[in-house]
Amino acid sequence: YTHPDAIVLDPFVVDDIPIREAVAAGRRLVATNSNPLVVLSLRERLSPPEPDELKAAVTRLGDSLKRGVPLREHLNQLYRTHCPTCNQQAVADYFIWSREPADPRQKWVDCTACGQAGLAAVDKNDMAVLDEVETRGLQYWYLLDRVAPPRQAPEGDKARAHAETLLELYTPRALYAIADLLMKIEATFDEEVQGHLKAVLLTCLDVASNLYQPDTRPGDASSRPAADKLHPPRRFIERNVWQLFETSVENMAASAALREPLPLQPDLHWVTRVPSSTPGLVWVHNLGVGAVGRGLTPESVSLVLSTPPRPDPVFWSLAYLW
């Protein structure tokens, strides 16, 4: 449908495969999505950081001090427990909660002291550790004010109430860890590194929610509730946020090693008006369809290739929070 060096437009981009195919064919690709989180994730897949640089940034993040101890140690202490086999202190990988009453019932411990791993019942010491985290502590209000700042207008009250409902989709412990990670990332790194680490944190925001049932693969969206039921399942899993963050980094680095990075153009001008380019040019940005259309000259696009978004209230609500 197009000639070499033609402009192809994807106005609702969600996947990097059409982009890579267009570039491989020598076409120019203009891709946009009004959801900034989709664009952030997509840009990370297309032009990921060097794996060693990403791991070094996570090491620096984990080494940064929080209350006099490294952040990784501070966050892992939120999930401290005892091995049910040898009774040595350990760190839980995850807890399994019941929705009603809202309490953890089981824990998965992979003990470094005795080498045993498996599920065990939660005990009173685990509940005492959980009680150390305030349900409405400083981190909770920090996140709430960030998502929906207090306003005088009724619309502001409505947005704040909605944000409060969405924050209920996380345990207080998960919100505490997420807030600490976010504050440390923004206080420690420049804008470019922040972008990479926030893409990792985006995975944590998804998988650390209360929407995943036990025995499901992390990030498997098919295990979420139906689109009209934005509340936890009867039993859900609470993952260790710091361990989840490190695992997400490893997965991102492994994925980056398997894909050829694509240089992304800084603005629309470089895609639409520069002289012919054999390898193809790509521009990916967070804009609505109308704004992109106004930035293109008449009849400049040879092909519109896309799948219009399907209604998904769960994802839209979560994306608003994230």
Side-chain angles (χ1 to χ4, degrees):
Y1 294 103
T2 62
H3 58 80
D5 213 46
I7 295 176
V8 178
L9 171 65
D10 187 342
F12 305 106
V13 65
V14 294
D15 199 332
D16 62 331
I17 294 176
I19 295 176
R20 292 182 180 278
E21 292 294 333
V23 171
R27 271 57 171 173
R28 306 179 186 216
L29 199 289
V30 174
T32 183
N33 193 303
S34 59
N35 187 327
L37 304 186
V38 172
V39 173
L40 172 63
S41 177
L42 192 59
R43 291 177 69 90
E44 289 296 311
R45 295 203 301 272
L46 291 168
S47 186
E50 287 293 330
D52 289 345
E53 294 178 3
L54 180 61
K55 292 177 181 179
V58 174
T59 298
R60 181 182 172 192
L61 178 65
D63 288 341
S64 64
L65 295 181
K66 175 71 176 183
R67 296 187 178 180
V69 299
L71 180 64
R72 72 171 68 83
E73 180 180 337
H74 174 74
L75 295 182
N76 273 325
Q77 284 298 302
L78 297 172
Y79 305 89
R80 68 185 184 276
T81 185
H82 288 85
C83 172
T85 302
C86 68
N87 204 38
Q88 294 296 309
Q89 187 165 330
V91 175
D93 291 6
Y94 62 81
F95 291 87
I96 296 176
W97 286 57
S98 66
R99 187 179 67 206
E100 295 177 358
D103 288 315
R105 298 300 178 90
Q106 293 176 295
K107 60 187 176 183
W108 178 279
V109 181
D110 190 349
C111 182
T112 58
C114 69
Q116 295 296 311
L119 276 175
V122 167
D123 57 37
K124 62 180 182 180
N125 293 321
D126 298 320
M127 299 303 294
V129 171
L130 184 61
D131 289 341
E132 292 176 5
V133 181
E134 295 181 75
T135 302
R136 293 290 185 271
L138 176 63
Q139 280 79 359
Y140 173 86
W141 297 109
Y142 165 76
L143 292 175
L144 178 60
D145 288 348
R146 186 179 178 116
V147 176
R151 293 189 178 93
Q152 299 299 322
E155 293 79 7
D157 292 339
K158 184 177 180 180
R160 194 168 175 86
H162 183 50
E164 289 177 331
T165 300
L166 293 174
L167 288 178
E168 292 296 326
L169 298 176
Y170 296 82
T171 66
R173 183 159 45 191
L175 290 180
Y176 182 102
I178 288 168
D180 273 2
L181 279 170
L182 183 56
M183 288 188 283
K184 277 293 185 181
I185 288 171
E186 294 188 335
T188 307
F189 300 98
D190 60 31
E191 187 174 345
E192 180 179 359
V193 178
Q194 281 187 38
H196 299 316
L197 294 178
K198 285 180 178 179
V200 177
L201 188 59
L202 182 59
T203 300
C204 296
L205 286 168
D206 180 8
V207 183
S209 72
N210 301 344
L211 295 176
Y212 288 95
Q213 302 174 19
D215 305 321
T216 55
R217 186 165 54 89
D220 182 5
S222 65
S223 64
R224 286 193 196 128
D228 60 340
K229 297 179 181 178
L230 191 59
H231 58 76
R234 185 176 59 85
R235 295 172 71 243
F236 63 87
I237 188 167
E238 180 202 22
R239 298 187 182 275
N240 180 319
V241 171
W242 177 256
Q243 289 186 5
L244 182 59
F245 190 85
E246 289 188 311
T247 300
S248 299
V249 169
E250 293 292 337
N251 292 340
M252 181 180 287
S255 178
L258 298 175
R259 297 176 177 177
E260 187 71 24
L262 294 180
L264 303 179
Q265 304 307 311
D267 56 53
L268 201 53
H269 167 77
W270 285 99
V271 178
T272 59
R273 296 181 178 85
V274 298
S276 297
S277 172
T278 303
L281 294 167
V282 181
W283 182 81
V284 182
H285 210 280
N286 166 221
L287 283 178
V289 178
V292 174
R294 290 189 292 273
L296 295 169
T297 57
E299 300 182 2
S300 61
V301 174
S302 299
L303 176 68
V304 177
L305 176 68
S306 196
T307 303
R310 299 177 180 178
D312 186 349
V314 167
F315 176 70
W316 290 347
S317 292
L318 291 173
Y320 166 77
L321 176 67
W322 299 341

Short mmCIF file of all heavy atoms in Angstrom, two decimals, residues 4-58:
data_model
loop_
_atom_site.label_atom_id
_atom_site.label_comp_id
_atom_site.label_asym_id
_atom_site.label_seq_id
_atom_site.Cartn_x
_atom_site.Cartn_y
_atom_site.Cartn_z
N PRO A 4 8.55 3.07 -0.77
CA PRO A 4 9.66 3.29 0.17
C PRO A 4 9.76 4.75 0.59
O PRO A 4 9.59 5.66 -0.22
CB PRO A 4 10.88 2.85 -0.64
CG PRO A 4 10.34 1.84 -1.60
CD PRO A 4 8.97 2.34 -1.96
N ASP A 5 9.99 4.97 1.86
CA ASP A 5 10.13 6.29 2.47
C ASP A 5 8.79 6.99 2.69
O ASP A 5 8.74 8.14 3.09
CB ASP A 5 11.05 7.19 1.64
CG ASP A 5 11.83 8.15 2.53
OD1 ASP A 5 12.36 7.70 3.56
OD2 ASP A 5 11.88 9.34 2.22
N ALA A 6 7.68 6.29 2.43
CA ALA A 6 6.36 6.88 2.68
C ALA A 6 6.10 6.97 4.19
O ALA A 6 6.72 6.28 5.00
CB ALA A 6 5.28 6.05 2.01
N ILE A 7 5.16 7.84 4.55
CA ILE A 7 4.80 8.01 5.95
C ILE A 7 3.60 7.13 6.28
O ILE A 7 2.57 7.16 5.61
CB ILE A 7 4.46 9.48 6.27
CG1 ILE A 7 5.71 10.36 6.08
CG2 ILE A 7 3.92 9.63 7.68
CD1 ILE A 7 5.44 11.84 6.28
N VAL A 8 3.77 6.32 7.32
CA VAL A 8 2.70 5.47 7.84
C VAL A 8 2.32 6.02 9.21
O VAL A 8 3.18 6.33 10.03
CB VAL A 8 3.16 4.01 7.95
CG1 VAL A 8 2.06 3.15 8.56
CG2 VAL A 8 3.57 3.47 6.59
N LEU A 9 1.03 6.15 9.46
CA LEU A 9 0.54 6.70 10.72
C LEU A 9 -0.16 5.63 11.54
O LEU A 9 -1.04 4.93 11.04
CB LEU A 9 -0.44 7.86 10.45
CG LEU A 9 -1.21 8.41 11.66
CD1 LEU A 9 -0.27 9.05 12.67
CD2 LEU A 9 -2.29 9.39 11.20
N ASP A 10 0.25 5.48 12.80
CA ASP A 10 -0.47 4.63 13.76
C ASP A 10 -0.98 5.55 14.87
O ASP A 10 -0.24 5.92 15.77
CB ASP A 10 0.45 3.56 14.34
CG ASP A 10 -0.31 2.55 15.20
OD1 ASP A 10 -1.43 2.87 15.63
OD2 ASP A 10 0.23 1.46 15.46
N PRO A 11 -2.26 5.97 14.81
CA PRO A 11 -2.77 6.95 15.76
C PRO A 11 -3.16 6.39 17.13
O PRO A 11 -3.46 7.16 18.04
CB PRO A 11 -3.99 7.52 15.03
CG PRO A 11 -4.47 6.39 14.19
CD PRO A 11 -3.25 5.63 13.78
N PHE A 12 -3.18 5.06 17.26
CA PHE A 12 -3.52 4.44 18.55
C PHE A 12 -2.50 3.35 18.88
O PHE A 12 -2.85 2.23 19.23
CB PHE A 12 -4.93 3.83 18.50
CG PHE A 12 -6.01 4.79 18.10
CD1 PHE A 12 -6.59 4.72 16.85
CD2 PHE A 12 -6.45 5.77 18.98
CE1 PHE A 12 -7.59 5.60 16.46
CE2 PHE A 12 -7.45 6.65 18.62
CZ PHE A 12 -8.02 6.58 17.35
N VAL A 13 -1.25 3.67 18.76
CA VAL A 13 -0.19 2.67 18.86
C VAL A 13 -0.18 2.01 20.25
O VAL A 13 -0.34 2.68 21.26
CB VAL A 13 1.19 3.30 18.55
CG1 VAL A 13 1.57 4.35 19.59
CG2 VAL A 13 2.26 2.22 18.44
N VAL A 14 -0.02 0.69 20.27
CA VAL A 14 0.12 -0.03 21.53
C VAL A 14 1.24 -1.06 21.46
O VAL A 14 1.65 -1.60 22.49
CB VAL A 14 -1.19 -0.76 21.92
CG1 VAL A 14 -2.29 0.25 22.23
CG2 VAL A 14 -1.63 -1.72 20.83
N ASP A 15 1.76 -1.34 20.27
CA ASP A 15 2.71 -2.43 20.10
C ASP A 15 3.89 -1.96 19.27
O ASP A 15 3.74 -1.12 18.37
CB ASP A 15 2.02 -3.61 19.41
CG ASP A 15 2.74 -4.92 19.60
OD1 ASP A 15 3.98 -4.88 19.79
OD2 ASP A 15 2.09 -5.98 19.57
N ASP A 16 5.08 -2.51 19.54
CA ASP A 16 6.27 -2.11 18.79
C ASP A 16 6.44 -2.91 17.50
O ASP A 16 7.24 -2.53 16.65
CB ASP A 16 7.52 -2.25 19.65
CG ASP A 16 7.78 -3.69 20.08
OD1 ASP A 16 6.81 -4.45 20.21
OD2 ASP A 16 8.96 -4.05 20.30
N ILE A 17 5.67 -3.99 17.32
CA ILE A 17 5.87 -4.83 16.13
C ILE A 17 5.56 -4.08 14.83
O ILE A 17 6.38 -4.10 13.90
CB ILE A 17 5.05 -6.13 16.24
CG1 ILE A 17 5.59 -6.98 17.39
CG2 ILE A 17 5.10 -6.91 14.93
CD1 ILE A 17 4.80 -8.24 17.65
N PRO A 18 4.41 -3.39 14.69
CA PRO A 18 4.18 -2.65 13.44
C PRO A 18 5.24 -1.58 13.19
O PRO A 18 5.61 -1.33 12.04
CB PRO A 18 2.80 -2.01 13.66
CG PRO A 18 2.15 -2.86 14.70
CD PRO A 18 3.25 -3.31 15.60
N ILE A 19 5.73 -0.98 14.26
CA ILE A 19 6.78 0.04 14.11
C ILE A 19 8.05 -0.59 13.53
O ILE A 19 8.64 -0.07 12.57
CB ILE A 19 7.07 0.71 15.46
CG1 ILE A 19 5.85 1.47 15.95
CG2 ILE A 19 8.28 1.63 15.37
CD1 ILE A 19 6.00 2.09 17.33
N ARG A 20 8.46 -1.71 14.09
CA ARG A 20 9.68 -2.35 13.62
C ARG A 20 9.53 -2.85 12.18
O ARG A 20 10.47 -2.79 11.38
CB ARG A 20 10.06 -3.51 14.55
CG ARG A 20 10.49 -3.03 15.94
CD ARG A 20 10.91 -4.20 16.84
NE ARG A 20 11.31 -3.72 18.15
CZ ARG A 20 12.51 -3.23 18.45
NH1 ARG A 20 13.44 -3.18 17.49
NH2 ARG A 20 12.81 -2.81 19.66
N GLU A 21 8.34 -3.35 11.84
CA GLU A 21 8.11 -3.81 10.46
C GLU A 21 8.17 -2.64 9.47
O GLU A 21 8.71 -2.78 8.38
CB GLU A 21 6.76 -4.53 10.37
CG GLU A 21 6.70 -5.84 11.12
CD GLU A 21 7.61 -6.90 10.52
OE1 GLU A 21 7.89 -6.84 9.31
OE2 GLU A 21 8.06 -7.78 11.27
N ALA A 22 7.60 -1.52 9.88
CA ALA A 22 7.61 -0.35 8.99
C ALA A 22 9.04 0.14 8.76
O ALA A 22 9.43 0.47 7.63
CB ALA A 22 6.76 0.77 9.58
N VAL A 23 9.83 0.17 9.83
CA VAL A 23 11.22 0.61 9.70
C VAL A 23 12.02 -0.37 8.85
O VAL A 23 12.82 0.02 8.00
CB VAL A 23 11.86 0.77 11.09
CG1 VAL A 23 13.36 1.01 10.98
CG2 VAL A 23 11.22 1.92 11.85
N ALA A 24 11.80 -1.67 9.06
CA ALA A 24 12.51 -2.67 8.27
C ALA A 24 12.20 -2.55 6.78
O ALA A 24 13.03 -2.86 5.93
CB ALA A 24 12.15 -4.08 8.77
N ALA A 25 10.99 -2.07 6.48
CA ALA A 25 10.59 -1.88 5.08
C ALA A 25 11.01 -0.52 4.54
O ALA A 25 10.70 -0.19 3.39
CB ALA A 25 9.07 -2.03 4.96
N GLY A 26 11.70 0.28 5.36
CA GLY A 26 12.17 1.58 4.90
C GLY A 26 11.12 2.67 4.92
O GLY A 26 11.28 3.70 4.26
N ARG A 27 10.04 2.47 5.66
CA ARG A 27 8.99 3.49 5.76
C ARG A 27 9.25 4.40 6.96
O ARG A 27 9.99 4.05 7.88
CB ARG A 27 7.62 2.84 5.92
CG ARG A 27 6.90 2.52 4.63
CD ARG A 27 7.70 1.63 3.73
NE ARG A 27 6.92 1.17 2.57
CZ ARG A 27 7.44 0.49 1.57
NH1 ARG A 27 8.73 0.18 1.57
NH2 ARG A 27 6.67 0.09 0.57
N ARG A 28 8.62 5.54 6.95
CA ARG A 28 8.64 6.45 8.10
C ARG A 28 7.38 6.18 8.92
O ARG A 28 6.30 6.04 8.36
CB ARG A 28 8.67 7.90 7.63
CG ARG A 28 9.79 8.22 6.66
CD ARG A 28 9.73 9.66 6.22
NE ARG A 28 10.71 9.91 5.18
CZ ARG A 28 11.39 11.06 5.05
NH1 ARG A 28 11.17 12.04 5.90
NH2 ARG A 28 12.25 11.22 4.09
N LEU A 29 7.53 6.16 10.21
CA LEU A 29 6.42 5.79 11.06
C LEU A 29 6.15 6.90 12.05
O LEU A 29 7.03 7.30 12.83
CB LEU A 29 6.74 4.48 11.79
CG LEU A 29 5.61 3.64 12.40
CD1 LEU A 29 5.01 4.29 13.62
CD2 LEU A 29 4.55 3.32 11.37
N VAL A 30 4.92 7.42 12.03
CA VAL A 30 4.45 8.37 13.03
C VAL A 30 3.47 7.63 13.91
O VAL A 30 2.43 7.18 13.44
CB VAL A 30 3.78 9.59 12.36
CG1 VAL A 30 3.18 10.51 13.42
CG2 VAL A 30 4.78 10.35 11.50
N ALA A 31 3.81 7.48 15.19
CA ALA A 31 2.99 6.69 16.11
C ALA A 31 2.65 7.53 17.33
O ALA A 31 3.52 8.22 17.87
CB ALA A 31 3.73 5.42 16.52
N THR A 32 1.40 7.45 17.75
CA THR A 32 0.98 8.27 18.88
C THR A 32 -0.09 7.55 19.68
O THR A 32 -0.79 6.67 19.17
CB THR A 32 0.44 9.63 18.39
OG1 THR A 32 0.11 10.45 19.52
CG2 THR A 32 -0.78 9.45 17.53
N ASN A 33 -0.18 7.92 20.95
CA ASN A 33 -1.24 7.42 21.81
C ASN A 33 -1.49 8.49 22.87
O ASN A 33 -0.54 9.08 23.40
CB ASN A 33 -0.83 6.10 22.48
CG ASN A 33 -2.00 5.39 23.13
OD1 ASN A 33 -2.68 5.94 24.00
ND2 ASN A 33 -2.24 4.16 22.72
N SER A 34 -2.75 8.76 23.17
CA SER A 34 -3.06 9.81 24.13
C SER A 34 -2.76 9.39 25.57
O SER A 34 -2.76 10.22 26.47
CB SER A 34 -4.54 10.21 24.03
OG SER A 34 -5.38 9.09 24.25
N ASN A 35 -2.50 8.10 25.80
CA ASN A 35 -2.14 7.62 27.13
C ASN A 35 -0.63 7.69 27.29
O ASN A 35 0.12 6.96 26.63
CB ASN A 35 -2.62 6.17 27.31
CG ASN A 35 -2.43 5.67 28.73
OD1 ASN A 35 -1.50 6.05 29.43
ND2 ASN A 35 -3.33 4.80 29.16
N PRO A 36 -0.11 8.54 28.18
CA PRO A 36 1.35 8.69 28.32
C PRO A 36 2.03 7.43 28.82
O PRO A 36 3.22 7.22 28.55
CB PRO A 36 1.49 9.84 29.33
CG PRO A 36 0.20 9.85 30.08
CD PRO A 36 -0.85 9.43 29.11
N LEU A 37 1.32 6.55 29.54
CA LEU A 37 1.95 5.34 30.04
C LEU A 37 2.20 4.34 28.93
O LEU A 37 3.22 3.65 28.93
CB LEU A 37 1.06 4.71 31.12
CG LEU A 37 0.71 5.61 32.30
CD1 LEU A 37 -0.05 4.83 33.35
CD2 LEU A 37 1.96 6.22 32.90
N VAL A 38 1.29 4.27 27.97
CA VAL A 38 1.51 3.40 26.82
C VAL A 38 2.74 3.86 26.05
O VAL A 38 3.58 3.06 25.63
CB VAL A 38 0.27 3.40 25.91
CG1 VAL A 38 0.56 2.66 24.60
CG2 VAL A 38 -0.92 2.76 26.61
N VAL A 39 2.86 5.17 25.89
CA VAL A 39 4.00 5.72 25.15
C VAL A 39 5.30 5.48 25.90
O VAL A 39 6.32 5.11 25.30
CB VAL A 39 3.78 7.22 24.88
CG1 VAL A 39 5.03 7.86 24.28
CG2 VAL A 39 2.59 7.42 23.95
N LEU A 40 5.30 5.67 27.22
CA LEU A 40 6.50 5.42 28.01
C LEU A 40 6.96 3.98 27.86
O LEU A 40 8.15 3.71 27.60
CB LEU A 40 6.22 5.73 29.49
CG LEU A 40 7.32 5.33 30.49
CD1 LEU A 40 8.60 6.10 30.22
CD2 LEU A 40 6.85 5.55 31.92
N SER A 41 6.04 3.05 28.00
CA SER A 41 6.38 1.63 27.87
C SER A 41 6.89 1.30 26.47
O SER A 41 7.86 0.57 26.29
CB SER A 41 5.15 0.79 28.21
OG SER A 41 5.42 -0.59 28.04
N LEU A 42 6.24 1.88 25.47
CA LEU A 42 6.61 1.61 24.08
C LEU A 42 8.00 2.16 23.76
O LEU A 42 8.83 1.50 23.12
CB LEU A 42 5.57 2.22 23.15
CG LEU A 42 5.62 1.82 21.68
CD1 LEU A 42 5.45 0.32 21.54
CD2 LEU A 42 4.54 2.55 20.90
N ARG A 43 8.28 3.37 24.19
CA ARG A 43 9.59 3.97 23.94
C ARG A 43 10.70 3.17 24.62
O ARG A 43 11.81 3.06 24.09
CB ARG A 43 9.60 5.43 24.42
CG ARG A 43 8.74 6.36 23.57
CD ARG A 43 8.73 7.77 24.14
NE ARG A 43 10.03 8.41 23.99
CZ ARG A 43 10.40 9.13 22.93
NH1 ARG A 43 9.56 9.31 21.93
NH2 ARG A 43 11.59 9.67 22.87
N GLU A 44 10.41 2.60 25.79
CA GLU A 44 11.41 1.78 26.47
C GLU A 44 11.68 0.49 25.69
O GLU A 44 12.81 0.01 25.68
CB GLU A 44 10.94 1.44 27.89
CG GLU A 44 10.95 2.61 28.84
CD GLU A 44 12.36 3.13 29.08
OE1 GLU A 44 13.27 2.34 29.37
OE2 GLU A 44 12.55 4.37 28.99
N ARG A 45 10.67 -0.06 25.05
CA ARG A 45 10.87 -1.27 24.25
C ARG A 45 11.61 -0.97 22.95
O ARG A 45 12.41 -1.79 22.48
CB ARG A 45 9.53 -1.95 23.94
CG ARG A 45 8.81 -2.48 25.15
CD ARG A 45 7.84 -3.59 24.80
NE ARG A 45 6.82 -3.20 23.85
CZ ARG A 45 5.66 -2.64 24.18
NH1 ARG A 45 5.40 -2.37 25.45
NH2 ARG A 45 4.78 -2.33 23.27
N LEU A 46 11.35 0.18 22.38
CA LEU A 46 11.98 0.54 21.11
C LEU A 46 13.41 1.03 21.29
O LEU A 46 14.29 0.71 20.48
CB LEU A 46 11.16 1.63 20.41
CG LEU A 46 9.79 1.21 19.88
CD1 LEU A 46 8.99 2.44 19.48
CD2 LEU A 46 9.93 0.25 18.70
N SER A 47 13.64 1.80 22.33
CA SER A 47 14.96 2.38 22.56
C SER A 47 15.34 2.22 24.03
O SER A 47 15.36 3.19 24.79
CB SER A 47 14.95 3.87 22.15
OG SER A 47 16.25 4.42 22.23
N PRO A 48 15.62 0.99 24.45
CA PRO A 48 15.87 0.73 25.86
C PRO A 48 17.25 1.22 26.29
O PRO A 48 18.14 1.43 25.45
CB PRO A 48 15.80 -0.80 25.94
CG PRO A 48 16.24 -1.26 24.60
CD PRO A 48 15.71 -0.24 23.63
N PRO A 49 17.45 1.40 27.59
CA PRO A 49 18.78 1.77 28.08
C PRO A 49 19.73 0.59 27.97
O PRO A 49 19.29 -0.57 27.83
CB PRO A 49 18.52 2.12 29.55
CG PRO A 49 17.34 1.28 29.92
CD PRO A 49 16.48 1.23 28.68
N GLU A 50 21.02 0.87 28.03
CA GLU A 50 21.99 -0.21 28.08
C GLU A 50 21.76 -1.03 29.35
O GLU A 50 21.63 -0.46 30.42
CB GLU A 50 23.41 0.36 28.07
CG GLU A 50 23.85 0.92 26.74
CD GLU A 50 23.99 -0.16 25.68
OE1 GLU A 50 24.32 -1.32 26.05
OE2 GLU A 50 23.77 0.13 24.50
N PRO A 51 21.68 -2.36 29.23
CA PRO A 51 21.39 -3.18 30.42
C PRO A 51 22.32 -2.92 31.60
O PRO A 51 21.87 -2.83 32.74
CB PRO A 51 21.55 -4.61 29.89
CG PRO A 51 21.20 -4.51 28.44
CD PRO A 51 21.74 -3.19 28.01
N ASP A 52 23.62 -2.75 31.32
CA ASP A 52 24.56 -2.51 32.41
C ASP A 52 24.30 -1.17 33.08
O ASP A 52 24.43 -1.04 34.30
CB ASP A 52 26.00 -2.57 31.89
CG ASP A 52 26.43 -3.98 31.52
OD1 ASP A 52 25.73 -4.93 31.94
OD2 ASP A 52 27.44 -4.13 30.80
N GLU A 53 23.93 -0.16 32.28
CA GLU A 53 23.64 1.15 32.86
C GLU A 53 22.36 1.10 33.71
O GLU A 53 22.29 1.73 34.76
CB GLU A 53 23.49 2.19 31.74
CG GLU A 53 24.78 2.45 30.97
CD GLU A 53 24.60 3.45 29.84
OE1 GLU A 53 23.46 3.97 29.71
OE2 GLU A 53 25.56 3.68 29.09
N LEU A 54 21.37 0.35 33.24
CA LEU A 54 20.13 0.22 34.00
C LEU A 54 20.39 -0.49 35.33
O LEU A 54 19.91 -0.06 36.39
CB LEU A 54 19.10 -0.56 33.18
CG LEU A 54 17.73 -0.79 33.85
CD1 LEU A 54 17.05 0.53 34.15
CD2 LEU A 54 16.85 -1.67 32.97
N LYS A 55 21.15 -1.57 35.29
CA LYS A 55 21.45 -2.32 36.52
C LYS A 55 22.27 -1.47 37.49
O LYS A 55 22.09 -1.54 38.71
CB LYS A 55 22.18 -3.61 36.18
CG LYS A 55 21.30 -4.61 35.44
CD LYS A 55 22.08 -5.86 35.06
CE LYS A 55 21.21 -6.84 34.28
NZ LYS A 55 21.96 -8.06 33.88
N ALA A 56 23.20 -0.66 36.93
CA ALA A 56 24.00 0.22 37.79
C ALA A 56 23.11 1.25 38.49
O ALA A 56 23.33 1.59 39.66
CB ALA A 56 25.07 0.91 36.96
N ALA A 57 22.10 1.76 37.77
CA ALA A 57 21.19 2.73 38.37
C ALA A 57 20.37 2.08 39.49
O ALA A 57 20.14 2.71 40.53
CB ALA A 57 20.25 3.30 37.30
N VAL A 58 19.96 0.83 39.29
CA VAL A 58 19.19 0.14 40.33
C VAL A 58 20.07 -0.14 41.54
O VAL A 58 19.62 -0.05 42.69
CB VAL A 58 18.58 -1.15 39.76
CG1 VAL A 58 17.90 -1.96 40.86
CG2 VAL A 58 17.58 -0.82 38.67
#
